Each structure stands twice: as structure tokens, then as C-alpha cells.
């Protein structure tokens, strides 16, 4: 039923991923050096200690690496951030455990209602002032509750006398209202002094700090949670909405999180988007979802509703709360369990007296009129009762906790995208919805949010980008990117590939993409190949038109064979033109090229390459060149000496895990590891695996690391003809998508796997592990409007780094916005250093990370996270291409729910079906 586990569990440990608030001082000097000149900052926004004094105490233990110092490189600028100061509570907080002894896990909303009822109606005198509750196990009170020496008390709560109840609990006739037992037991006292020491960098990160932060988060969320629909960290209001069709409406929401900072506590506030079920008649919502609004007769199996559509609809409305419209039944919302397989007139049940009636007859008796649509489906609710669709309505404000249909992604993005200045205004206005000043809970805990002073200003620095080197014959052999962007005009690739044979296969209908269109496309590609230096000897590739309904692998194999018969050479590249919605063809093409035969494939969308401009083909060349083993550009060795120092050969790895969408039980998670093989950190190889569903730690990391390291050493030996020691001296491991709660596991499990792989290969590189997080809510906004302050999109400039004001009190972390903005507000990446045997300085790691954002082969722009991590992300999302499209492994949306035994069997089937990469592709950037 609605929020089954903790509500809102999404990929990679929940929406709040990485962003940790914080507030720092002026610029720190070098480690142990004198403080910067000018003494401590006075007045202004920054008032914590400067220089080494702002660094964590020597006795303090950090989860990862303790901050060694602050960065100083780059040009200083001032930016706004979406943080507001919040004071610490004045007195001790009392922590209680909440148990409903005889209950299964109840939805968070029902739990909230029960505790609210308990505090405001059943036991007002016990709960004055009121406590705050997180909807699950934790209740925090500003004073000790009068529970006597046992420190525990049990209450009976019954919601029936509350007309506004929103409980999905069943109340079927004659049994009287349901009574819930709730037991509260005191577990701890939280002293705010712990937090005070923690933000001063004088206290290690332990459970007491964690619980104190949890308590403060529950305090600030309590008021809005009582009033609005919510998921874990956001709540949503209908002040701003957008109907996107398919029975869905978007609501604007607000995210808030209390975060520790250098010298003070901050609250991070952002806007978010909630996808809601449309309120109103359930039948209308169903028809909208099926794309047939108003056609009521369609919801009947008799009128030919296909079973596939019925199951798709059932997946959509499963878990939704509905109210019934017939007399005397308007109180309790019921939860939809499933859809009946037949209409109301075709479903019979037996009454107590042994007679049998159809659902349609039963409701005719109750309503004193026949059903309007007796042949339409019924819903089955929690108690097993069947109710005709036409008698149900959907109450407003219900969050849809499943994946948004892919065709609606564009609408969601349009609603969620706001220019930086509009987003900041929206956040500032959101404070009136959050109403910290009015919240009785915030006041009673003795806290105060400084929301009138506006968002916090932060000192940032804009780093110098690395110079990039192109190949011989370029008009400018080295270029410096400008705000994260450069172009390929008059430039040759650093190492262009060569193509002796290629073929073109068109899956678009010949009327829409004819011989002339194909010839224009070939001419455009040939021109671009020559411009960028790719050597091509085949000016007349074979072209064939195929039917996308056929067996793609057989068609591609036949085209390759025909090419071989005619020219005595097999094609090195297959260019495939796809029709609109050609995703299935794409997957089959990639499976054939990457897994089955080991040939480079490049797919083009027919409407994109029809009469395309040279710029389009130049972008296609970026992908083709690296798929064929070429290198587009490298960072100039002088500008990134950390990476290219010949005395310290460096391998940079990126790792990621991707989890199945919410509601897809029995699907596995996929993992990927990517690493460079060349000395210029520009040429990458990848390996990927299947593992148990929703497991975040990479199970096969030792084997994967060993593979990548062996390939690195082979490439140095055979391609770069290096002699002497082939092993890397440094191994820098970037890990994507781990939430803060899992840092310890990464250190315990993944670091061990990497070290074990090195031992197996008898090598001993110095290891550095950095977690890169994008799923957080920290944003930066330019404070000025000049070109030195913001780019064309109104965002901060590429290379903006912040490691002070909003950084962590003890850990070595920073935020880096490495890409130029295009649409909406750019999101900086949050870097956390978990382990560092190389003793890098803050400047060293920040510039290295920024440089790696420039070697992403598919674009002439810097990207938002280092290229190896970006590649790992792509390799994960392409894992399904490893499965035979003709096989029986199902990746469609209609795969059904499974129990745990079935899920275990399904995982085994996924492991068996996962075909390895073809040997030809193992050393190429096939994923670009």
C-alpha cells in the first residue's frame, strides 16, 4: 500500500545523495602554514575562524579523509547558495522509540495521523509542548514525557472520532472502529552540545551526531508534513501545478535538510517536483492513462480491452487510495490492490445465505439503480472487496511512487527547469510555505532560522581550465576552453582512426528516407571524416533498406556478408539509420555489434540526419573516432602535470551501480568499472557485471579492477612501447552515486577489493578514493551579472569551486561546477575524499577533477562529472544490450511483481543471460 518501505526510496540511497551543508571561514593557508594575511574576516557574511584554525582538531576522527587545507587556486568570486542559517536548540532533546506491537508496517501518513491524534485529542496533557515524529520509529520531545520510572507507556488510539482522518485502514461493517496500540519508550537524551563541538571541528562523526541531526531534521519538517503530501525530504503543494496527461499532475514541492557546516548549522532549501495521480473520477484517470479519454466502454474486457493493457493499467493504479461515492461509504479511503480480470456483470460471489450474485446486481441493490457501465472492470481493495470503477474517486495529493512514463519525461523536465535567478526567487518565496517562524515545533525546540536575511553568500573560486591538444594539421594545435566550451573548426583529431570498409543499413521506410537522402548523409559524413583527419578509402559504402520488424541480427549479418563477397573485406563500421521510436532496433544493433560479432556500430535518427548540417556530422565523428580506437583530444601534459607525470604513471578509474526502477522487483542491479589505458588519460576501457537487486556495493570489483589494470599495463607495453615498470604508481578511483551513509561500506569493501586486485597482479600503486555525488540539493547562483560572474544561461561559470562556506566541518570535500550551463540551474558535483595514500592537496585534487571533466569524447564541452565516472554511468545504462533481444529476459514495463524466491531465480536467469563483451571491443570505447 502506498509508502511500503521508507517512502521515496530511489536510486542510489535516496534523493538527498551527497549535498552536505556547511559554512566556512576565509581562505585557509597551506597545511600548518601561517594564516592568510589580513587576519580574521570581520563583519560580512563569513564569521568563522580563518586559516588553519578552521581545520578539524587533530584528535577528531573523520569517516573519510580529514580536510588537509583549503584550495587557493583560481579567481575569487562571490556566489549565493540555497542555504539559510539555523540556530542550535537551547536544551536537551528526548528521543523515544515508537512501536505498534501487533501491527505490520503502516504507511507513514497513517502513522503521522495516529501520533497527531494521540497528541491533540487522546493525551493532550502528556504532550504539552508537542513532540515531533518522523512517521516511522522516532519521536523527539522538547521535554521529558511523564512516563514514570519505566520511561515507557502504551496508548490506545482510535481515529474514528476524527472526521479528517486519512487512514487507509479498513473498517468493514459491524466490527467497530479499529484501535491501534502505540508504545513509546525513551531511548536517549540528545545534548545539542555534541553538534556545537562537531561544527567547530572538535568532535568525531559518530552516532550521537547522526541522531542529533536526524532530530533537527524532524523538527523542521514536522509542520509542513502535517499539512501537505510528503515523501522523505520534500513536501508538495498545489500552489503551482501542471497537468501532463496520462492521469498525472505535477506539483511544485520544497526540499529541506538541516546540514552541519564549518562553524555553524545551516538548512538547505530547494524546489522539487512531485508527480501526483490526478484527482477526480477513477474511471477518467484510467482512460487518460490509456490515452482514450471519455471512451468509457473501453474499460470492459467484453469491448476488447486487451489483457496487456489491463495489466499495464493495473501497474499504474496499484497502491492508489480511492474513495467510494455511494451512500454511507465516504469515510475511509481504500487502497487499490489489483484490477479484476472481468467486468462487474461477469463477476459472481457467494453471499452468506449461499446464493450467488454478480457484482453488478449487488451494487444495483445498494444504489437503487443499475450501474452505468456494468461491463467495466472493478478494483479489488485490501480486504478483497470488489468495487466497480465508476463508483470510485481519487482524492487529491497522492504521490505516484513509480517511474514516470518515458514519454512524459520531457514535460517533467519543462516543469522542473528554472533559470538560476527564477529558481533562487522560487526558493526564497518557498520560505513563506515553510514558515519556520510560525512553526510551533521549531519554536518549542528553541531554534530559529534566519530566513529574513536572504540566502547565504559564499566565496568561490573559478579554476583555470586545462589546455587541450589536437592532432597534426590543426590550425591551432592547443586550445583553452572558454567557459567549458570549445569547437572543432579547423582541428584534426589527436589520433584519427582509419576506415577501409563501412556499410549503411536503413530501418526507416524508403519513402521517408530515399536513395537521395542516404547519399546526402554519406556525403556529409565523408566531408566530416576528412575535416577531422579520419582516413577513409571507401567513398561508396553499400546501402540497404531493411524492415525493423524482422530479425535485426540476421539482417546486419547478411549486409556484412554481402559486403565481404563484393569487396573481400568485412566492414569496420556499420552506420544504422533508425526510424522514430526505434529503441528496440537500437538495442538489437548494439547487441549484434558489441556482443555478438565485435564491429563498431553508429546509430543515427532519420529525422536528425535528414539534411543535417556539418555540425551534426562533426558530433557523429567524435563518437565514431573513439569507437574505432582513435583519440579525439588529450589534456596538454604541461597543464595537468598531476595526471601526466612520467615518473608517476596514473590510472584513473570511474565506477557506478545502476538500480532497477521503483516497483520492478526481481530485476538486477548492474555495475560498471571504467579506466584509462593511455598515459594521457584520454582513452578508456570498460567492464560491466550483473549483481543482486539494489545492492550498492560492487560485488565483483576485485575481478573488474584486475581486468582494467591488466589492460592498462598491456597497452603501456604494446601500444606505448614503454619499457621498465608498466604498473601505475597512482590509482585514482572515482565512485559515483554512493550516499553518505554508505561511505564506510565503500571503504571496508571496495577499497579491500581494489587492494586485493593489486596484490594478485603483484603491483603496489598508491590509492585515492573520491566519491562524486550529483543527487543532492546544493545550488550556487551568481551574485553579479557581468561576464566574469555568470555565463549566457545565467549560471555560475564552468570551473566554479566551493570548499569553504558550505563544506563539511571535518571531511575533505568540495563542490565543483565544471560545466557551462545550458538550460535551468546547473548542479555542482559534490566530491568527498574517502581515502588518500597520495597525500594530494585540495588544489591538486580539485584541478585534477576539473581537468578530467574535459576528456569526455562525445562533446566539445566540459561535462558535469569526471569523464571516467560519466562513462561508467553510460556503461551501466547500456547493460541491457548484453542480453539477446530474441531471448526471454524481460526489460519491459509490464514485467510482474515477484516474491523473494522467484526474485532469486530471476537474478540467476539475468546472470546467465548476460553475455560478455566481444573480445574485439574490450580495448575500445564502444560505449561512446
Amino acid at each position: 500500500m502506498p509508502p511500503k518501505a521508507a517512502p521515496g526510496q530511489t536510486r542510489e540511497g535516496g534523493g538527498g545523495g551527497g549535498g552536505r551543508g556547511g559554512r566556512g571561514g576565509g581562505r585557509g593557508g597551506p597545511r600548518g602554514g601561517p594564516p592568510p594575511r589580513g587576519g580574521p574576516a570581520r563583519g560580512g557574511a563569513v564569521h568563522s575562524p580563518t586559516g588553519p584554525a578552521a581545520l578539524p582538531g587533530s584528535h577528531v576522527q573523520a569517516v573519510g579523509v580529514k580536510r588537509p587545507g583549503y584550495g587557493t587556486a583560481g579567481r575569487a568570486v562571490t556566489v549565493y547558495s540555497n542555504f539559510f542559517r539555523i540556530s542550535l536548540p537551547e536544551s536537551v532533546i528526548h528521543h523515544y522509540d515508537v512501536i505498534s506491537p501487533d501491527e505490520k508496517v503502516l504507511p507513514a501518513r497513517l502513522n503521522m495521523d495516529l501520533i497527531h491524534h494521540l497528541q491533540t485529542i487522546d493525551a493532550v496533557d502528556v504532550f504539552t509542548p508537542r513532540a515531533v515524529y518522523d512517521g516511522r520509529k522516532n519521536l523527539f520531545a522538547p521535554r521529558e514525557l511523564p512516563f514514570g520510572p519505566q520511561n515507557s507507556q502504551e496508548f490506545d488510539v482510535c481515529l474514528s472520532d476524527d472526521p479528517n482522518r486519512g487512514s487507509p485502514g479498513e473498517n468493514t461493517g459491524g466490527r467497530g472502529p479499529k484501535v491501534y496500540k502505540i508504545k513509546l519508550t525513551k531511548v536517549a537524551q540528545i545534548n545539542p552540545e555534541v553538534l556545537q563541538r562537531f561544527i567547530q571541528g572538535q568532535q568525531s562523526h559518530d552516532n550521537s551526531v547522526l541522531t542529533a541531526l536526524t532530530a533537527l531534521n524532524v523538527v523542521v519538517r514536522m509542520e509542513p508534513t502535517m499539512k501537505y503530501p510528503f515523501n522523505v525530504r520534500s513536501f508538495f503543494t498545489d500552489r503551482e501545478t501542471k497537468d501532463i496527461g496520462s492521469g498525472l499532475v505535477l506539483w511544485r514541492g520544497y526540499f529541506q535538510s538541516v546540514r552541519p557546516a564549518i562553524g555553524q548549522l545551516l538548512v538547505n532549501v530547494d524546489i522539487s517536483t512531485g508527480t501526483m495521480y490526478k484527482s477526480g473520477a477513477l474511471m477518467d484517470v484510467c482512460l487518460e492513462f490509456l490515452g482514450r479519454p471519455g471512451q468509457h466502454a473501453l474499460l470492459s474486457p467484453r469491448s476488447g480491452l486487451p489483457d496487456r493493457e489491463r495489466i499495464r493499467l493495473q501497474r499504474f493504479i496499484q497502491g492508489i487510495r480511492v474513495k467510494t461515492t455511494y451512500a454511507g461509504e465516504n469515510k475511509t479511503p481504500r487502497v487499490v490492490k489489483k484490477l479484476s480480470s472481468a467486468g462487474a456483470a461477469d463477476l459472481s460471489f457467494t453471499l452468506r445465505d449461499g446464493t450467488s450474485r454478480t457484482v453488478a446486481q449487488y451494487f444495483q441493490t445498494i444504489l437503487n439503480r443499475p450501474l452505468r457501465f456494468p461491463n467495466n472492470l472493478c478494483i479489488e481493495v485490501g480486504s478483497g472487496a470488489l468495487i466497480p470503477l465508476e463508483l470510485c474517486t481519487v482524492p487529491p495529493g497522492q504521490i505516484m511512487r513509480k517511474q514516470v512514463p518515458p514519454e512524459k519525461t520531457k514535460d517533467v523536465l519543462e516543469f522542473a527547469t528554472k533559470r538560476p535567478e527564477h529558481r533562487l526567487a522560487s526558493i526564497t518565496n518557498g520560505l513563506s510555505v515553510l514558515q519556520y517562524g510560525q512553526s510551533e515545533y521549531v519554536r518549542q525546540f528553541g531554534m530559529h532560522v534566519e530566513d529574513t536575511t536572504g540566502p547565504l553568500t559564499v566565496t568561490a573560486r573559478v579554476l583555470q581550465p586545462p589546455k587541450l591538444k589536437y592532432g597534426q594539421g590543426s590550425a591551432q594545435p592547443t586550445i583553452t576552453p572558454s567557459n567549458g566550451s570549445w569547437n572543432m573548426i579547423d582541428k584534426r583529431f589527436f589520433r584519427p582512426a582509419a576506415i577501409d570498409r563501412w556499410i549503411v543499413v536503413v530501418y526507416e521506410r524508403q519513402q521517408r528516407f530515399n536513395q537521395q537522402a542516404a547519399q546526402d548523409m554519406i556525403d556529409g559524413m565523408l566531408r566530416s571524416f576528412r575535416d577531422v583527419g579520419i582516413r577513409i578509402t571507401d567513398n561508396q559504402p553499400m546501402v540497404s533498406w531493411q524492415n525493423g520488424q524482422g530479425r535485426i541480427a540476421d539482417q546486419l549479418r547478411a549486409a556484412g556478408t554481402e559486403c565481404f563477397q563484393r569487396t573481400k573485406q568485412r566492414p569496420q563500421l556499420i552506420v544504422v539509420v533508425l526510424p522514430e521510436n526505434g529503441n528496440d532496433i537500437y538495442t538489437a544493433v548494439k547487441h549484434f555489434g558489441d556482443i555478438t560479432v565485435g564491429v563498431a556500430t553508429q546509430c543515427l535518427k532519420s529525422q536528425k540526419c535528414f539534411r543535417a548540417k556539418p555540425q551534426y556530422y562533426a558530433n557523429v565523428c567524435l563518437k565514431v573516432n573513439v569507437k574505432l580506437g582513435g583519440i579525439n583530444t588529450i589534456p596538454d601534459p604541461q597543464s595537468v602535470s598531476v595526471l601526466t607525470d612520467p615518473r608517476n604513471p596514473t590510472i584513473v578509474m570511474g565506477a557506478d551501480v545502476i538500480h532497477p526502477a521503483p516497483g520492478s522487483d526481481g530485476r538486477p542491479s548492474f555495475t560498471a568499472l571504467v579506466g584509462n589505458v593511455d598515459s594521457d588519460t584520454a582513452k578508456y576501457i570498460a567492464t560491466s557485471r550483473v549483481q543482486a537487486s539494489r545492492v550498492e556495493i560492487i560485488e565483483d570489483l576485485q575481478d573488474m579492477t584486475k581486468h582494467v589494470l591488466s589492460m592498462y599495463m598491456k597497452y603501456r607495453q604494446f601500444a606505448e612501447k614503454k619499457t621498465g615498470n608498466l604498473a601505475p604508481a597512482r590509482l585514482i578511483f572515482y565512485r559515483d552515486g554512493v550516499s553518505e551513509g554508505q561511505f564506510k561500506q565503500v571503504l571496508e569493501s571496495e577499497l579491500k577489493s581494489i587492494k586485493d586486485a593489486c596484490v594478485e597482479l603483484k603491483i603496489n600503486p598508491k590509492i585515492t578514493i573520491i566519491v562524486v555525488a550529483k543527487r543532492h540539493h546544493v545550488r550556487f547562483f551568481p551574485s553579479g551579472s557581468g561576464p566574469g560572474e555568470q555565463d549566457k544561461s545565467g549560471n555560475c561559470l564552468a570551473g566554479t569551486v566551493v570548499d569553504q562556506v558550505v563544506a563539511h566541518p571535518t571531511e575533505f570535500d568540495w563542490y565543483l561546477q565544471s560545466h557551462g550551463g545550458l538550460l535551468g540551474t546547473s548542479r555542482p558535483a559534490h566530491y568527498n575524499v574517502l581515502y588518500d595514500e597520495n597525500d594530494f592537496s585540495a588544489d591538486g585534487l580539485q584541478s585534477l577533477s576539473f581537468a578530467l571533466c574535459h576528456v569526455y569524447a562525445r562533446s566539445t564541452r566540459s561535462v558535469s562529472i569526471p569523464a571516467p565516472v560519466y562513462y561508467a554511468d553510460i556503461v551501466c545504462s547500456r547493460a541491457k544490450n548484453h542480453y539477446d533481444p530474441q531471448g526471454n529476459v524481460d526489460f519491459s514495463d509490464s514485467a510482474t511483481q515477484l516474491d523473494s524466491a522467484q526474485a532469486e531465480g530471476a537474478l540467476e536467469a539475468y546472470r546467465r543471460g548476460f553475455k560478455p563483451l566481444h573480445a574485439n571491443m574490450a580495448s575500445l570505447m564502444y560505449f561512446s
Side-chain angles (χ1 to χ4, degrees):
M1 303 307 104
K4 201 67 168 278
Q9 286 172 336
T10 54
R11 173 178 189 262
E12 312 298 24
R20 290 199 287 208
R23 169 114 184 118
R27 186 175 295 159
R31 244 192 252 197
R37 300 246 289 277
R42 287 209 174 79
V46 178
H47 58 234
S48 44
T50 52
L55 293 174
S58 54
H59 62 287
V60 171
Q61 298 272 300
V63 178
V65 175
K66 230 171 5 181
R67 187 184 301 286
Y70 296 102
T72 57
R75 174 173 63 84
V77 291
T78 302
V79 296
Y80 293 121
S81 65
N82 54 344
F83 284 95
F84 300 86
R85 265 193 219 118
I86 183 168
S87 64
L88 274 89
E90 289 156 5
S91 49
V92 171
I93 297 172
H94 302 269
H95 181 192
Y96 292 84
D97 195 20
V98 181
I99 314 169
S100 323
D102 51 8
E103 284 303 332
K104 51 186 187 304
V105 178
L106 296 174
R109 171 57 79 197
L110 173 56
N111 285 337
M112 296 299 291
D113 287 344
L114 289 168
I115 295 289
H116 182 66
H117 197 281
L118 176 65
Q119 296 203 85
T120 53
I121 296 169
D122 292 351
V124 182
D125 49 337
V126 175
F127 297 96
T128 308
R130 283 184 210 168
V132 296
Y133 176 50
D134 71 351
R136 290 190 290 282
K137 298 282 289 175
N138 301 298
L139 183 123
F140 299 99
R143 64 161 192 141
E144 185 155 11
L145 302 177
F147 288 169
Q150 253 64 51
N151 271 329
S152 181
Q153 192 165 332
E154 195 165 287
F155 299 89
D156 288 349
V157 183
C158 162
L159 289 173
S160 65
D161 54 358
D162 180 357
N164 300 321
R165 59 177 297 200
S167 126
E170 285 289 0
N171 176 10
T172 36
R175 279 206 311 244
K178 185 167 175 57
V179 175
Y180 295 91
K181 285 196 176 317
I182 293 171
K183 185 178 180 189
L184 300 182
T185 310
K186 181 162 181 180
V187 283
Q189 296 203 138
I190 300 164
N191 190 339
E193 185 54 40
V194 174
L195 271 185
Q196 184 61 44
R197 285 202 307 276
F198 181 63
I199 60 182
Q200 298 298 349
Q202 298 304 314
Q203 157 89 32
S204 301
H205 191 286
D206 58 17
N207 261 346
S208 63
V209 172
L210 218 61
T211 314
L213 283 169
T214 305
L216 301 194
N217 271 309
V218 176
V219 171
V220 299
R221 290 175 189 153
M222 186 69 183
E223 186 91 2
T225 301
M226 296 311 301
K227 292 187 193 160
Y228 305 106
F230 63 92
N231 65 17
V232 186
R233 298 177 184 81
S234 297
F235 62 88
F236 306 94
T237 80
D238 54 5
R239 285 184 171 194
E240 201 182 332
T241 63
K242 177 183 181 179
D243 186 336
I244 58 169
S246 293
L248 299 172
V249 183
L250 301 177
W251 283 24
R252 175 76 64 227
Y254 297 94
F255 164 94
Q256 49 178 353
S257 172
V258 175
R259 299 214 153 271
I262 303 169
Q264 64 197 328
L265 210 54
L266 299 175
V267 59
N268 178 208
V269 179
D270 195 18
I271 53 174
S272 58
T273 300
T275 312
M276 305 288 181
Y277 290 105
K278 194 168 181 176
S279 57
L282 179 60
M283 201 147 70
D284 294 343
V285 173
C286 292
L287 288 166
E288 249 195 59
F289 173 74
L290 294 171
R292 311 293 281 276
Q295 303 177 28
H296 296 111
L298 259 183
L299 291 168
S300 147
R302 280 194 193 179
S303 324
L305 175 73
D307 209 43
R308 201 183 72 237
E309 286 293 271
R310 183 183 68 82
I311 288 174
R312 199 166 73 87
L313 178 60
Q314 174 171 293
R315 276 178 70 86
F316 175 68
I317 64 166
Q318 233 164 15
I320 194 171
R321 292 205 311 274
V322 295
K323 288 191 167 181
T324 43
T325 52
Y326 50 96
E329 272 292 328
N330 207 7
K331 297 191 301 291
T332 315
R334 312 277 194 88
V335 176
V336 177
K337 207 159 70 180
K338 55 186 199 216
L339 276 175
S340 61
S341 47
D346 300 323
L347 287 166
S348 306
F349 63 99
T350 310
L351 291 159
R352 287 195 184 128
D353 60 7
T355 54
S356 170
R357 307 177 71 176
T358 66
V359 173
Q361 289 165 344
Y362 173 77
F363 278 99
Q364 180 165 355
T365 315
I366 285 188
L367 297 168
N368 276 332
R369 65 168 176 82
L371 290 173
R372 286 175 60 209
F373 304 102
N375 294 328
N376 280 9
L377 297 169
C378 299
I379 57 162
E380 187 180 313
V381 294
S383 61
L386 292 161
I387 306 169
L389 281 179
E390 65 180 83
L391 299 179
C392 300
T393 60
V394 180
Q398 291 192 62
I399 301 173
M400 185 193 69
R401 299 180 193 278
K402 303 183 181 85
Q403 204 172 22
V404 176
E407 67 278 9
K408 296 293 169 197
T409 311
K410 189 163 163 275
D411 296 308
V412 177
L413 287 176
E414 276 172 14
F415 182 72
T417 304
K418 276 184 181 292
R419 275 184 66 91
E421 63 272 26
H422 299 151
R423 190 183 193 100
L424 190 55
S426 191
I427 289 167
T428 316
N429 297 341
L431 293 172
S432 64
V433 182
L434 293 161
Q435 294 187 318
Y436 291 121
Q438 276 83 51
S439 163
E440 62 165 313
Y441 304 102
V442 174
R443 283 206 310 272
Q444 277 158 4
F445 279 82
M447 292 158 66
H448 170 66
V449 178
E450 291 183 27
D451 50 8
T452 49
T453 52
L456 213 52
T457 52
V458 180
T459 302
R461 292 169 289 114
V462 180
L463 301 180
Q464 267 301 104
K467 288 190 168 61
L468 301 174
K469 210 167 170 181
Y470 276 91
Q472 291 170 333
S474 304
Q476 305 162 268
T478 62
I479 55 153
T480 304
S482 143
N483 192 35
S485 173
W486 63 98
N487 62 48
M488 279 289 303
I489 296 168
D490 294 335
K491 294 184 190 64
R492 304 272 185 280
F493 286 146
F494 179 75
R495 189 179 309 144
I499 303 173
D500 294 322
R501 276 282 159 257
W502 60 305
I503 59 173
V504 176
V505 180
V506 183
Y507 281 101
E508 182 60 275
R509 295 202 317 275
Q510 198 154 354
Q511 302 91 296
R512 298 189 60 171
F513 199 87
N514 58 19
Q515 194 73 47
Q516 187 55 49
Q519 194 52 52
D520 289 348
M521 181 202 77
I522 290 165
D523 293 343
M525 288 193 77
L526 288 170
R527 257 195 309 276
S528 273
F529 285 155
R530 292 196 182 98
D531 287 346
V532 296
I534 292 177
R535 193 174 54 75
I536 184 145
T537 47
D538 179 3
N539 291 333
Q540 291 278 288
M542 252 177 55
V543 184
S544 63
W545 275 260
Q546 299 290 350
N547 176 0
Q549 303 300 312
R551 289 184 67 110
I552 310 295
D554 295 351
Q555 296 163 345
L556 295 175
R557 197 183 293 280
T561 308
E562 190 183 340
C563 172
F564 181 71
Q565 284 163 353
R566 282 201 203 169
T567 64
K568 297 291 168 275
Q569 285 176 306
R570 298 208 178 278
Q572 292 155 284
L573 171 69
I574 304 177
V575 173
V576 178
V577 178
L578 297 176
E580 189 66 23
N581 301 324
N583 290 353
D584 292 348
I585 304 175
Y586 172 85
T587 304
V589 168
K590 290 300 167 192
H591 183 79
F592 176 79
D594 297 345
I595 312 300
T596 313
V597 297
V599 62
T601 51
Q602 179 58 57
C603 294
L604 309 176
K605 285 188 170 170
S606 63
Q607 72 272 36
K608 286 275 201 315
C609 65
F610 182 68
R611 298 189 180 151
K613 296 189 166 60
Q615 179 63 53
Y616 173 78
Y617 293 116
N619 287 342
V620 171
C621 285
L622 292 171
K623 291 157 70 78
V624 169
N625 189 51
V626 292
K627 284 178 186 176
L628 294 169
I631 297 175
N632 295 353
T633 175
I634 64 164
D636 184 36
Q638 268 90 45
S639 65
V640 282
S641 51
V642 179
L643 285 174
T644 52
D645 174 2
R647 292 185 308 282
N648 283 309
T650 302
I651 183 167
V652 182
M653 294 183 182
D656 194 14
V657 180
I658 189 170
H659 302 302
S664 313
D665 296 350
R667 303 268 176 95
S669 290
F670 294 106
T671 60
L673 181 68
V674 173
N676 64 305
V677 287
D678 64 331
S679 299
D680 297 305
T681 59
K683 183 179 170 73
Y684 291 83
I685 59 143
T687 176
S688 70
R689 302 276 195 281
V690 195
Q691 71 179 28
S693 186
R694 299 196 171 83
V695 171
E696 182 49 61
I697 298 302
I698 302 174
E699 290 169 1
D700 293 336
L701 187 60
Q702 182 175 339
D703 193 38
M704 295 161 84
T705 306
K706 195 175 141 191
H707 168 76
V708 173
L709 283 166
S710 320
M711 296 290 280
Y712 173 87
M713 295 194 292
K714 266 189 213 149
Y715 189 88
R716 279 174 68 77
Q717 184 177 358
F718 299 113
E720 297 186 340
K721 304 281 189 279
K722 296 274 198 289
T723 52
N725 188 11
L726 303 171
R730 295 194 285 222
L731 189 162
I732 301 171
F733 181 82
Y734 284 95
R735 177 70 158 87
D736 188 15
V738 184
S739 65
E740 289 163 38
Q742 294 164 317
F743 286 177
K744 239 189 172 70
Q745 279 171 282
V746 169
L747 277 172
E748 284 162 6
S749 167
E750 295 188 0
L751 173 60
K752 182 180 182 302
S753 299
I754 296 169
K755 286 187 162 176
D756 290 350
C758 293
V759 168
E760 256 189 274
L761 292 169
K762 300 186 173 54
I763 61 175
N764 188 21
K766 290 186 168 170
I767 299 169
T768 296
I769 296 183
I770 304 168
V771 169
V772 187
K774 291 241 13 202
R775 301 176 74 82
H776 60 76
H777 283 272
V778 177
R779 301 288 183 278
F780 299 117
F781 307 88
S783 60
S785 53
E789 306 254 355
Q790 61 167 255
D791 63 16
K792 290 193 196 103
S793 68
N795 279 290
C796 294
L797 300 169
T800 300
V801 68
V802 173
D803 64 356
Q804 298 191 36
V805 175
V806 292
H808 193 271
T810 56
E811 308 279 337
F812 185 7
D813 74 332
W814 69 89
Y815 293 91
L816 169 63
Q817 202 158 299
S818 50
H819 56 303
L822 287 172
L823 279 176
T825 306
S826 299
R827 180 189 314 210
H830 184 205
Y831 296 79
N832 267 286
V833 185
L834 294 195
Y835 188 77
D836 182 22
E837 293 178 338
N838 289 295
D839 282 336
F840 282 118
S841 67
D843 278 332
L845 275 182
Q846 287 165 11
S847 71
L848 178 147
S849 301
F850 187 38
L852 286 169
C853 296
H854 291 77
V855 295
Y856 180 65
R858 288 162 44 150
S859 66
T860 56
R861 301 177 64 86
S862 60
V863 287
S864 57
I865 51 179
V869 191
Y870 210 128
Y871 290 142
D873 207 275
I874 294 169
V875 172
C876 274
S877 57
R878 293 175 56 142
K880 66 172 185 287
N881 301 347
H882 286 258
Y883 292 94
D884 185 349
Q886 300 290 325
N888 53 6
V889 171
D890 184 11
F891 278 99
S892 72
D893 268 352
S894 54
T896 44
Q897 309 276 315
L898 305 173
D899 64 31
S900 56
Q902 286 173 305
E904 195 52 51
L907 175 64
E908 208 28 66
Y910 278 109
R911 280 191 205 275
R912 277 199 310 275
F914 190 84
K915 303 270 189 296
L917 197 62
H918 192 280
N920 293 0
M921 291 292 159
S923 59
L924 297 172
M925 289 169 67
Y926 68 92
F927 45 82
S928 85

